[in-house]
Amino acid sequence: MVAAGAHRPGPLKQQNKAHKGGKHSGASQRRAGGRVPVKAQPRRRLRELSRVDRRHQALQLRRQRKEAVLAEKRSLGSRDGPPHLVVVVPLHSRAAAHDTLHLLQSQESAVVRVDEGRAGSFALLCPRLKQRWRFVTAQTGDLHAVLDLAKVADSLLFILDAADGWDSAGEHCLSCLFAQGLPTYALAVPGGTDLPLKKRIDARKKLAKAIEKRFPEAKLFPLNTEQESSLLLRHLSTQKQRHLAFRDRRAQLLAYAAEFVPGQESDLVGTLKVSGFVRGQTLDVNSLVHIVGHGDFQMSQVDAPPDPLSLNPRVVKGQKRSQDMEVWDDSVNGTDEMEEDVKVLMKVDPHKQESLQSEVVPDPMEGEQTWPTEEELQEAEASLKAKRRVVKVPKGTSKYQAAWIVDDGEEGSEKDDDDDNDEDDDDDMDDDMMEEAVSQDGESSGEEEPAEEECETMTVSECLRDDQYDEKVEEDEQMLEKYKQERMDEMFPDEVDTPRDIPARVRFQKYRGLKSFRTSPWDPKENLPRDYARIFQFQDFSRTRKHLFRKIEKEETEGASVGWYVTLHICNVPVLVMESFKEGKPLVLFSLLPHEQKMSVLNFLVHRHPSNSEPVRAKEELIFHCGFRRFRASPLFSQHTSADKHKLERFLRPDAALVVTVYAPITFPPASVLLFKQRSNGMHDLIATGSLLSVDPDRIVIKRLVLSGHPFKIFAKTAVVRYMFFNREDVMWFKPVELRTKWGRRGHIKEPLGTHGHMKCHFDGQLKSQDTVLLNLYKRVFPKWTYDPHVPEPVPWVRSESTLPVQEVEME
């Protein structure tokens, strides 16, 4: 019993929060009672390191990194490592490269080896310092030579002019080198001693201000005396090396000497013996090698001749060396003795050797071609016309029943082909064709009573309305020309005019409509071109790439180690490669990873280079420098999004990153890419730079077409649209496709009006008279197979005045 005057809580009684004790970390540990899960044990042990242990761990990691850097510096240019390869790049026409090389050669206690037949190429040996360098000069006018040498160089030595720094050709060369990937570099400024002291200081300040943007934190080295050249050499040997990802996982070799042995069948193809120092990774004789600019080849064997740049060279008896003789020739060791001392390191194993097959040979019986050919389309159209027939049907007969009625005149001819064509007639005769056949029968046989009754019941009301609607066609023709002129001033992407001489359903028969470009499904294996039967595709490209890179890092490959001087016997090489080497062009070799000789679809992510402003259209032939390859191809441009479908771009846009898609040999990223466009005079203009995005043939590139119409009559949520189509059949064909307007309305085609393409459309709101009705059509596109590994040599860049005053104005 509750007392009469007792207080009873109402529905708004105060509810206090419950105590949350026991939810902090200490209480949870007490409840666990010391039990720790097995999976959480290692993480907890790492977190609970003491301060002293954490300091020791950080010290050990720092010491390991320091030792790795020191070991790399000591191995480069040492007795066991390859010579320190320095590429000298003069960036100005007045840059004194010859004086620079003469100063570098005049080192005390150093031996100079001059390369025969190659100007500006020599080796510098310092037995006292246990260091050896090889200097190679690359002229900025030869773009391919500069880029090829930079692919294998340990350091780049830029020679600047004391007054102007670099000219337009040097600026173009620097842009290409930065886009490809710049190794370790140094800046040297020879000359300028003839100027007064004050002008010399002012010129140096101006030059330092100019290079601040292009070379941040770079140091200028004057190069006028032997002491300054010694400081430059010390800087080159002690600075930290910058790594390029595409060459760290592959073996590379710069040819020191080469010999061509013609084949038995033809003198144009034979065996090329290339000698040089192995860099990067261990070189396997069973792998393939890529000669930059010439293609992929196989090796037959690897020899080990004597090292021509040994720090302790052998002196042949009978030849005396004077005390002040500093320059030695390559003939000191003797050619005959070198040939006798050649040792065969390894020979190729036919069972383990990589194949040169780059394309799949398609079998025409496997049905890779999913889109019908032109002959098949013509045969289908001819058979379709032959199957059309006009029949007489009684009143009330349905379309399905009329398909089974056989005319008296056609009964005899149909019996001959009864076994072959009966099933095809049922499948191919659709409702529209049946309606047309019935209407034609009603017009041709107007005297008979059943046909007149059928015409009245099925088509009379619609035909009368069409005849009344088509009275003002001439006015529409005049308005059409005005709307065409007005639309010429609009910049709407992908908008095209509907052709009047060809039905739209024929002109756009390969296009389709999508409910949503982002979410509507599109099968990547649908309607593939015949070229897709020739390419290779990975089941999981990322997994294959990780597996290969992990194998390179952990497993030891058998072959020629880094730093060895070897001779590679390369099979079936054209004689043009040897002729190019004799002309002074650098011969650069890269070993290929598995699958890198096979063709596939490569996607590059690029940005338009600010120095180029000319329009570049899709499917226009461009020159690609991808990693260690260069080739010509006609690419596609598409948007870079995270969706499964990507819209085609007809031009290379300057304000956004685009994806370039081409057929090319497989290359494992990371790899830089440069896009060039060849002028009519032979010069190559840099138009875009970027990197390799993926190797994915399933990347869907969609081309969009936009058909536009004008609202003729507007009601509450209905409007009559014209000028989108010009016949009734096209309206019925595109009826399932959704409509949209420029002002955000969405709708669909309700029914056609008349026979000249007018249509009644329903929208989600009332239209404005200034609005435009749009219909989007989509089609998947593929790049053209125009891959060509042979790129013509560019014409040297035309030099102009220095670019430093322009940079100075920008900084101010």
Side-chain angles (χ1 to χ4, degrees):
M1 292 294 293
V2 179
H7 172 70
R8 295 183 178 87
L12 301 177
K13 179 184 177 183
Q14 178 179 347
Q15 297 290 338
N16 296 328
K17 293 182 179 180
H19 179 57
K20 296 184 179 179
K23 292 189 178 181
H24 49 84
S25 59
S28 61
Q29 293 177 5
R30 286 194 299 270
R31 286 196 304 271
R35 297 185 298 272
V36 180
V38 179
K39 294 182 179 180
Q41 222 168 7
R43 295 182 181 178
R44 185 180 178 187
R45 190 175 301 164
L46 288 175
R47 284 199 307 266
E48 292 181 354
L49 289 176
S50 63
R51 179 182 298 178
V52 178
D53 294 338
R54 290 197 300 269
R55 286 182 178 178
H56 287 171
Q57 187 180 28
L59 180 62
Q60 291 174 356
L61 293 175
R62 189 162 55 249
R63 188 175 298 166
Q64 290 176 1
R65 298 191 191 100
K66 186 176 180 180
E67 291 177 355
V69 172
L70 290 176
E72 182 182 7
K73 289 181 181 180
R74 291 165 182 165
S75 63
L76 183 62
S78 63
R79 186 190 308 272
D80 299 328
H84 192 141
L85 180 58
V86 181
V87 176
V88 182
V89 183
L91 296 180
H92 200 281
S93 58
R94 295 196 302 267
H98 178 73
D99 298 340
T100 302
L101 298 179
H102 182 70
L103 281 174
L104 293 174
Q105 293 178 7
S106 61
Q107 297 295 317
E108 296 182 0
S109 68
V111 179
V112 179
R113 298 281 182 85
V114 179
D115 292 352
E116 294 182 352
R118 290 171 184 82
S121 179
F122 65 93
L124 192 64
L125 308 179
C126 296
R128 183 175 61 85
L129 301 176
K130 298 181 180 180
Q131 288 288 325
R132 52 182 180 171
W133 291 272
R134 187 186 177 195
F135 291 86
V136 180
T137 304
Q139 298 297 329
T140 53
D142 192 352
L143 180 62
H144 285 178
V146 174
L147 294 179
D148 292 348
L149 288 172
K151 290 179 174 66
V152 294
D154 296 318
S155 300
L156 294 181
L157 179 58
F158 294 115
I159 308 300
L160 307 180
D161 182 61
D164 296 332
W166 56 86
D167 53 10
S168 59
E171 176 69 21
H172 178 67
C173 178
L174 287 177
S175 300
C176 299
L177 288 175
F178 273 90
Q180 178 180 264
L182 196 65
T184 307
Y185 63 89
L187 305 177
V189 185
T193 55
D194 54 343
L195 296 176
L197 181 61
K198 185 177 181 180
K199 291 185 177 181
R200 192 187 313 170
I201 295 175
D202 293 341
R204 186 174 180 84
K205 288 182 179 179
K206 179 183 176 182
L207 187 59
K209 185 178 180 181
I211 69 171
E212 185 178 355
K213 182 178 180 181
R214 176 64 83 174
F215 302 98
E217 300 180 0
K219 183 180 179 181
L220 281 173
F221 286 88
L223 200 60
N224 298 313
T225 61
E226 295 183 6
Q227 184 179 3
E228 292 175 345
S229 63
S230 301
L231 293 176
L232 178 61
L233 283 178
R234 178 176 297 180
H235 174 73
L236 290 173
S237 61
T238 57
Q239 64 180 347
K240 184 179 179 181
Q241 294 295 314
R242 301 175 64 179
H243 295 272
L244 299 181
F246 72 89
R247 73 180 187 183
D248 285 345
R249 296 184 175 92
R250 300 171 180 87
Q252 62 263 10
L253 182 143
L254 176 63
Y256 185 81
E259 180 186 357
F260 182 78
V261 179
Q264 299 178 356
E265 299 179 357
S266 175
D267 295 339
L268 301 178
V269 179
T271 301
L272 183 65
K273 299 180 181 180
V274 182
S275 300
F277 294 90
V278 180
R279 301 173 183 274
Q281 293 289 334
T282 303
L283 180 62
D284 187 8
V285 69
N286 295 315
S287 62
L288 301 178
V289 292
H290 175 79
I291 302 178
V292 178
H294 299 283
D296 304 334
F297 302 95
Q298 291 178 331
M299 293 181 288
S300 59
Q301 72 180 39
V302 178
D303 299 339
D307 190 349
L309 303 181
S310 175
L311 289 175
N312 296 320
R314 294 175 299 174
V315 180
V316 182
K317 294 182 179 180
Q319 292 183 354
K320 297 182 180 180
R321 177 176 181 265
S322 60
Q323 296 180 357
D324 55 345
M325 182 178 178
E326 293 287 339
V327 179
W328 284 12
D329 198 12
D330 284 342
S331 60
V332 172
N333 292 335
T335 306
D336 298 336
E337 186 178 353
M338 287 181 63
E339 293 179 356
E340 294 177 359
D341 295 342
V342 171
K343 299 178 182 178
V344 178
L345 288 180
M346 61 198 75
K347 290 189 176 183
V348 69
D349 186 357
H351 301 287
K352 297 181 180 180
Q353 188 178 26
E354 291 284 344
S355 173
L356 279 174
Q357 181 184 5
S358 60
E359 300 178 15
V360 179
V361 180
D363 186 359
M365 302 302 295
E366 291 184 355
E368 292 90 351
Q369 179 68 14
T370 57
W371 185 258
T373 60
E374 295 294 336
E375 293 78 6
E376 294 174 348
L377 290 175
Q378 293 177 2
E379 292 177 1
E381 186 176 358
S383 62
L384 190 62
K385 291 180 179 178
K387 293 171 185 175
R388 293 185 178 182
R389 57 191 176 91
V390 179
V391 297
K392 299 177 181 179
V393 296
K395 183 179 180 179
T397 304
S398 65
K399 297 178 181 179
Y400 177 77
Q401 293 173 341
W404 290 89
I405 296 177
V406 181
D407 196 10
D408 295 338
E410 300 177 355
E411 184 175 358
S413 60
E414 288 180 0
K415 287 181 180 179
D416 298 335
D417 300 331
D418 183 57
D419 297 335
D420 299 332
N421 298 334
D422 280 349
E423 296 181 1
D424 296 338
D425 288 339
D426 294 337
D427 296 336
D428 296 339
M429 181 93 57
D430 56 1
D431 295 341
D432 295 337
M433 293 165 50
M434 193 65 230
E435 182 180 356
E436 182 182 357
V438 172
S439 63
Q440 291 177 1
D441 179 61
E443 294 174 359
S444 62
S445 58
E447 298 177 358
E448 298 183 5
E449 185 176 357
E452 291 177 357
E453 293 178 357
E454 181 188 3
C455 183
E456 291 177 357
T457 56
M458 299 184 66
T459 59
V460 162
S461 59
E462 191 172 357
C463 291
L464 290 176
R465 187 174 60 187
D466 292 341
D467 294 338
Q468 295 174 357
Y469 192 86
D470 294 335
E471 294 178 356
K472 299 182 179 181
V473 178
E474 296 180 359
E475 297 180 2
D476 293 343
E477 295 289 340
Q478 297 176 0
M479 291 296 297
L480 172 62
E481 297 297 327
K482 295 181 180 180
Y483 275 106
K484 280 187 175 180
Q485 295 175 3
E486 183 181 3
R487 237 183 262 120
M488 290 296 293
D489 298 331
E490 297 177 358
M491 299 297 294
F492 189 84
D494 305 324
E495 185 174 346
V496 297
D497 293 333
T498 305
R500 304 199 60 182
D501 54 344
I502 304 175
R505 63 186 184 278
V506 177
R507 169 63 179 83
F508 307 119
Q509 61 182 342
K510 295 184 179 181
Y511 290 83
R512 69 180 68 176
L514 294 178
K515 179 70 175 177
S516 172
F517 183 81
R518 184 179 61 87
T519 60
S520 297
W522 196 302
D523 187 5
K525 304 297 183 182
E526 178 185 2
N527 292 343
L528 297 179
R530 191 180 297 273
D531 291 335
Y532 263 52
R534 303 165 58 185
I535 64 172
F536 290 84
Q537 184 173 3
F538 294 95
Q539 186 176 2
D540 190 346
F541 178 74
S542 300
R543 183 173 176 272
T544 305
R545 173 177 169 271
K546 291 180 181 178
H547 174 71
L548 284 176
F549 289 176
R550 194 181 301 114
K551 183 178 180 181
I552 293 173
E553 294 175 358
K554 294 184 178 180
E555 298 183 6
E556 295 183 359
T557 306
E558 296 182 356
S561 300
V562 178
W564 289 8
Y565 183 78
V566 296
T567 299
L568 308 181
H569 294 247
I570 307 175
C571 307
N572 301 324
V573 180
V575 70
L576 296 176
V577 181
M578 188 62 192
E579 294 177 356
S580 175
F581 180 70
K582 289 181 179 179
E583 293 175 358
K585 305 290 184 182
L587 189 60
V588 180
L589 282 73
F590 274 84
S591 66
L592 297 182
L593 298 178
H595 314 296
E596 284 196 330
Q597 79 279 10
K598 301 174 182 177
M599 296 291 292
S600 188
V601 179
L602 272 62
N603 302 304
F604 306 100
L605 181 62
V606 301
H607 290 264
R608 184 72 174 267
H609 197 265
S611 64
N612 185 271
S613 59
E614 298 181 0
V616 181
R617 193 176 181 86
K619 296 185 179 180
E620 185 177 353
E621 187 180 75
L622 301 177
I623 298 173
F624 289 75
H625 288 243
C626 175
F628 52 88
R629 294 184 185 272
R630 61 172 174 260
F631 54 88
R632 291 186 293 177
S634 300
L636 291 179
F637 303 144
S638 59
Q639 293 180 353
H640 178 51
T641 60
S642 58
D644 60 340
K645 295 180 290 296
H646 311 274
K647 181 180 160 305
L648 175 74
E649 293 288 345
R650 288 176 170 82
F651 290 90
L652 186 63
R653 297 177 55 185
D655 57 344
L658 295 182
V659 176
V660 177
T661 303
V662 292
Y663 291 110
I666 295 171
T667 304
F668 290 98
S672 59
V673 61
L674 288 76
L675 271 66
F676 292 88
K677 183 178 179 181
Q678 186 172 359
R679 295 184 188 175
S680 58
N681 58 2
M683 295 177 61
H684 291 182
D685 289 337
L686 180 63
I687 63 172
T689 61
S691 60
L692 177 60
L693 181 63
S694 64
V695 180
D696 185 14
D698 288 341
R699 190 177 191 274
I700 302 176
V701 180
I702 303 296
K703 180 181 181 180
R704 184 182 71 173
L705 290 184
V706 180
L707 305 181
S708 58
H710 181 260
F712 179 47
K713 295 181 180 179
I714 300 175
F715 303 97
K717 289 188 177 182
T718 307
V720 178
V721 180
R722 58 181 177 178
Y723 303 149
M724 183 176 289
F725 303 107
F726 299 100
N727 57 72
R728 180 185 182 89
E729 290 76 12
D730 286 345
V731 177
M732 296 299 298
W733 179 270
F734 292 99
K735 186 177 180 181
V737 184
E738 185 182 18
L739 302 176
R740 66 180 183 89
T741 68
K742 288 188 176 181
W743 289 11
R745 296 297 182 189
R746 292 185 176 273
H748 61 275
I749 301 174
K750 194 172 183 181
E751 60 178 349
L753 299 176
T755 60
H756 287 75
H758 289 211
M759 55 187 181
K760 182 187 293 185
C761 304
H762 185 79
F763 295 93
D764 56 357
Q766 187 173 7
L767 297 184
K768 302 293 184 180
S769 59
Q770 301 90 348
D771 206 350
T772 304
V773 181
L774 306 175
L775 184 143
N776 293 343
L777 298 176
Y778 303 94
K779 180 186 73 170
R780 185 179 179 184
V781 292
F782 303 89
K784 292 183 178 180
W785 192 291
T786 57
Y787 171 78
D788 186 5
H790 303 290
V791 178
E793 292 290 335
V795 175
W797 189 267
V798 179
R799 294 181 179 271
S800 61
E801 296 181 358
S802 172
T803 59
L804 293 189
V806 178
Q807 295 183 0
E808 187 174 358
V809 171
E810 291 178 355
M811 293 177 184
E812 292 176 357

